[in-house]
Amino acid sequence: MRWATAGPALSAVRHGGRLVGLCGRAAMPAIWGYLLLEILIGTQGVAAAWLTKAVIDGLIGRVRFADVLWPVAVLSLLGLVRGVAPLIRRYLVAEIDRRAALTAQDGLFKAIERFVGLERLEDPAFLDRLRLAQQSVFAPGGFLEGAFGILRGTLSLVGFIGSLALISPMVTGIVVIAAVPGFVAEFRVSRRRHKMFMDIGPAQRRELFYANLLTDAQAAKEIRLFRLGPFLRGRMIAERRAANAAKRRLDRRELGTQTVLVLLSILASSAGLLWMVVAAGRGQLTIGDVSVFIAAVAGTQSGLTDLIVSTTVAYQQALMFEHYEAVLRATPPAVPASAVRPVPALRDGIRLRDVWFRYSDDHDWVLRGVDLFIPAGATIALIGANGAGKSTLVKLLCRFYEPTRGAILWDGTDIRRLPHEELRDRMGAVFQDFMAYDFSAADNIAVGELSALDDEVRLREAAELAGIHDAISALPRGYRTLLTRMFFAGPGPVGSDVGVILSGGQWQRIALARAYLRQDCDVMILDEPSSGLDADTEHDLHTRLRNIRSGRTSILISHRLGAVRDADLIFVLHDGVIAEQGTHAQLLALDGDYARMFSLQAAGYQSEHHTGERVG
Ligand SMILES: Nc1ncnc2c1ncn2[C@@H]1O[C@H](COP(=O)(O)OP(=O)(O)OP(=O)(O)O)[C@@H](O)[C@H]1O
């Protein structure tokens, strides 16, 4: 993967434009309001200083009461701006932040959906980047706050520096020059902080992993039985300590730099005030001038600090947004709906032509030139030892990975040339590691085919076929019962129902019900669909599947050879190639691996049967 390599400052400017664009798309009216307020806030300080001078000079010059009344009235109005504008600004900032973060988050997850396969989600470097990208959904709001802070600071500075320059160009020069090291130092710290966040990313992700593990109900059994708590907690704390050490180093450096800068700035303003006392003593300044001078020195200093802080915030957020942009760059572009051609129904069959596959260059080959043909309408079985590559092969069929060499042809067309979503729409599957979602029973079945989400009849039909309807009906809220104890079923804790936990076999039936929702699909993949089922249900499952799927293509993976013997074709995967293929009878006659495994399993059942008889 190629990440951006442009200089940080340049890329910050580039990202800045995009961040503002994103904020604009999310909350344009609020941005205009915010801008107006910043202009008001940025200019009111200078206006107040000059109005104060007018009042003081007017009073000393003994002008008419009416002549000082208008500056006093405007000063009161400015007081109102000073009091209320920051409150409204806070609301607008929060609103822009919320909206922009929502837009950014939506964009990020839409981009993640566009990944065709699983490789990225198994790449630690990408996952580190993704975590930072998730954090950077708040960057647009933060950047705008920084950018508008720069505007506010600049407006205020122009006014104060101008006022100061009118009274003493020399003092102005000293105060401004004293601020330059601050800018340089803050930029450096920002860059270091950004790099530090990238460096500690993996440690933070591991810490989160341990923290989640320690509170995960599923992991709790082993954690308690094997007394893993202190061990995992120790690792979690070690990761946190490592991250803390990196943060502490930077904080100390920042503390030192900032202390020096503050001293420099105090020195500059003290020099200015000293000059003012001398000049006022010589009668070169009026009392009004003195009041403007004092306000201008303070205003210039706070304006410069504001400017430095705002620039740093904007810069940091822009750097942070690089992660967001990098994830978006890594995703394939969205395909316009008009350009998508539907995948035609399978007529002839699926052919794997000399398929080689390994998960990455660092991994061994899993498949080493697999050639096989799955005729349309046939039930084929895939068998082989643990790790032989059976699940990998079906993952390739679903385009979760691409073959490293060779091709998979859908009626003669390379599946890489077919739109992956349409291809997957033609498939149903029960994966070996199917998901148990923390949803209701209805939702857990409907995930197999979302068009059935609110269709109780279809959901019930699928559940009946999978033999789980009765169990679901008996739950406290039937199909609406949550199949988790992570959440409340109702809106709040008091009086709300909590969910239930299903058994492993019941979950397997839920997964089957999902697949039944797609019973009309072209290709059904069943990867160990019956491993958790009792003997009766397993038999029932295979009979039902045979009847429902009769005439449709099915791929069955199972270690229980009794379950696959009725398949039209059985493929034995060994050492990354198809070592044997044929019907059950043909493979028994061949007397190879299949025959050996089958007799071994059959002998196991036989001996148990005999042992049982003896005991009985
Ligand atoms: N995502 C992955 N990344 C790297 N290696 C993987 C990945 N998934 C599987 N493997 C490796 O690929 C090989 C084949 O695994 P696969 O799950 O396809 O085997 P299988 O035949 O389905 O095994 P089983 O009968 O145990 O389910 C194994 O050596 C496994 O370690």
Side-chain angles (χ1 to χ4, degrees):
M1 187 187 308
R2 197 183 68 81
W3 302 116
T5 50
L10 203 71
S11 85
V13 172
R14 244 193 3 246
H15 296 315
R18 288 202 270 273
L19 280 161
V20 172
L22 199 147
C23 288
R25 285 200 299 283
M28 206 46 170
I31 289 176
W32 282 116
Y34 183 20
L35 182 66
L36 198 71
L37 285 175
E38 289 291 40
I39 293 173
L40 273 178
I41 295 170
T43 49
Q44 61 78 32
V46 183
W50 285 100
L51 286 165
T52 309
K53 169 185 158 56
V55 172
I56 293 172
D57 285 347
L59 289 176
I60 290 170
R62 302 206 185 286
V63 292
R64 281 181 306 132
F65 176 68
D67 287 342
V68 290
L69 207 57
W70 72 264
V72 170
V74 181
L75 270 173
S76 309
L77 252 177
L78 288 181
L80 193 71
V81 169
R82 236 188 342 271
V84 176
L87 299 179
I88 304 177
R89 180 180 59 182
R90 195 186 328 153
Y91 169 78
L92 290 179
V93 166
E95 184 59 15
I96 293 168
D97 219 21
R98 276 190 290 269
R99 285 174 183 253
L102 193 73
T103 306
Q105 185 162 19
D106 193 39
L108 180 68
F109 282 88
K110 268 186 190 146
I112 294 169
E113 274 170 36
R114 289 207 298 274
F115 288 130
V116 179
L118 310 184
E119 286 105 336
R120 298 269 188 215
L121 300 177
E122 294 177 345
D123 170 7
F126 182 77
L127 291 174
D128 286 337
R129 186 65 88 145
L130 189 56
R131 195 188 63 87
L132 290 167
Q134 279 175 274
Q135 285 175 359
S136 69
V137 298
F138 293 102
F143 177 81
L144 202 69
E145 222 175 315
F148 280 13
I150 295 175
L151 174 76
R152 182 187 62 231
T154 309
L155 282 176
S156 158
L157 267 179
V158 167
F160 281 122
I161 290 179
S163 309
L164 205 58
L166 283 179
I167 301 170
S168 166
M170 184 194 65
V171 173
T172 314
I174 293 174
V175 172
V176 171
I177 289 169
V180 172
F183 271 102
V184 177
E186 285 292 344
F187 271 111
R188 284 213 177 130
V189 168
S190 289
R191 275 215 292 274
R192 283 209 188 94
R193 193 166 286 282
H194 178 68
K195 182 174 176 313
M196 184 266 297
F197 274 123
M198 283 184 72
D199 291 346
I200 64 172
Q204 287 190 318
R205 214 154 56 77
R206 282 193 296 269
E207 182 198 330
L208 192 69
F209 160 72
Y210 290 122
N212 287 341
L213 204 58
L214 281 163
T215 52
D216 182 55
Q218 204 143 16
K221 293 194 292 289
E222 290 199 4
I223 291 178
R224 272 146 189 73
L225 191 78
F226 300 146
R227 292 219 228 163
L228 297 178
F231 165 72
L232 294 173
R233 185 164 40 77
R235 285 196 166 183
M236 177 184 71
I237 295 295
E239 299 292 1
R240 168 59 68 100
R241 285 212 172 101
N244 278 356
K247 286 183 189 167
R248 189 175 301 116
R249 269 195 302 279
L250 200 71
D251 285 350
R252 284 189 180 153
R253 190 188 275 257
E254 202 172 341
L255 177 68
T257 318
Q258 281 176 346
T259 310
V260 173
L261 292 173
V262 167
L263 289 177
L264 201 68
S265 146
I266 290 172
L267 219 64
S269 64
S270 305
L273 290 174
L274 200 67
W275 174 87
M276 179 203 73
V277 173
V278 174
R282 287 186 190 145
Q284 290 166 338
L285 298 178
T286 66
I287 300 292
D289 288 337
V290 169
S291 81
V292 171
F293 187 86
I294 292 174
V297 168
T300 304
Q301 274 192 327
S302 72
L304 280 168
T305 310
D306 198 10
L307 198 62
I308 291 175
V309 170
S310 300
T311 311
T312 312
V313 167
Y315 183 56
Q316 257 175 13
Q317 301 298 330
L319 290 182
M320 196 67 187
F321 201 59
E322 159 64 15
H323 303 296
Y324 183 94
E325 296 261 283
V327 171
L328 258 58
R329 267 201 310 277
T331 55
V335 182
S338 56
V340 174
R341 289 164 298 108
V343 172
L346 188 70
R347 278 177 296 105
D348 185 24
I350 300 171
R351 182 176 296 284
L352 275 77
R353 197 175 57 201
D354 191 25
V355 170
W356 288 68
F357 180 74
R358 59 180 167 193
Y359 280 93
S360 77
D361 294 346
D362 303 328
H363 286 94
D364 274 348
W365 290 104
V366 178
L367 305 179
R368 300 162 183 269
V370 170
D371 278 302
L372 68 81
F373 183 65
I374 304 167
T379 294
I380 69 121
L382 210 53
I383 67 157
N386 290 132
K390 305 178 292 296
S391 301
T392 302
L393 196 148
V394 296
K395 285 193 272 187
L396 293 180
L397 284 181
C398 299
R399 281 197 66 192
F400 297 147
Y401 305 91
E402 308 288 5
T404 318
R405 287 187 223 153
I408 300 175
L409 311 172
W410 176 278
D411 281 343
T413 305
D414 191 325
I415 59 170
R416 279 174 288 215
R417 291 176 42 212
L418 298 174
H420 63 280
E421 284 175 339
E422 279 63 27
L423 177 74
R424 288 170 190 162
D425 281 349
R426 295 219 161 262
M427 297 185 172
V430 178
F431 293 113
Q432 193 176 19
D433 49 357
F434 62 84
M435 283 295 294
Y437 297 97
D438 293 322
F439 294 162
S440 68
D443 290 355
N444 252 300
I445 297 174
V447 292
E449 178 55 65
L450 279 179
S451 61
L453 195 59
D454 298 313
D455 189 337
E456 285 179 19
V457 178
R458 277 174 77 192
L459 294 179
R460 184 189 161 135
E461 212 174 82
E464 275 173 350
L465 281 170
I468 190 69
H469 168 70
D470 291 345
I472 296 177
S473 302
L475 296 175
R477 289 160 67 100
Y479 279 73
R480 298 292 145 203
T481 309
L482 277 187
L483 302 185
T484 173
R485 293 183 70 93
M486 286 256 298
F487 308 109
F488 288 110
V494 181
S496 293
D497 302 317
V498 287
V500 298
I501 305 270
L502 294 188
S503 75
Q506 286 171 327
W507 265 118
Q508 194 144 26
R509 290 169 196 229
I510 293 271
L512 276 167
R514 276 176 208 157
Y516 283 130
L517 276 181
R518 283 203 183 183
Q519 55 183 278
D520 293 334
C521 66
D522 287 24
V523 179
M524 177 71 82
I525 294 167
L526 299 156
D527 192 351
E528 292 288 359
S530 56
S531 58
L533 300 183
D534 55 59
D536 284 346
T537 317
E538 185 184 3
H539 179 258
D540 187 42
L541 158 79
H542 289 292
T543 316
R544 270 187 201 184
L545 271 174
R546 241 192 326 275
N547 294 338
I548 294 171
R549 297 286 307 160
S550 139
R552 295 203 185 91
T553 320
S554 301
I555 301 168
L556 177 63
I557 298 178
S558 180
H559 287 292
R560 301 198 203 186
L561 300 189
V564 304
R565 59 184 293 173
D566 290 334
D568 298 317
L569 255 178
I570 300 169
F571 295 94
V572 182
L573 203 52
H574 182 69
D575 274 345
V577 292
I578 300 296
E580 296 170 19
Q581 61 177 295
T583 61
H584 171 72
Q586 287 166 340
L587 291 179
L588 282 189
L590 192 70
D591 202 20
D593 266 353
Y594 178 84
R596 184 182 52 77
M597 286 190 275
F598 189 80
S599 345
L600 216 59
Q601 284 191 5
Y605 288 129
Q606 282 308 118
S607 68
E608 270 171 34
H609 177 64
H610 290 313
T611 313
E613 277 181 349
R614 271 202 309 275
V615 171

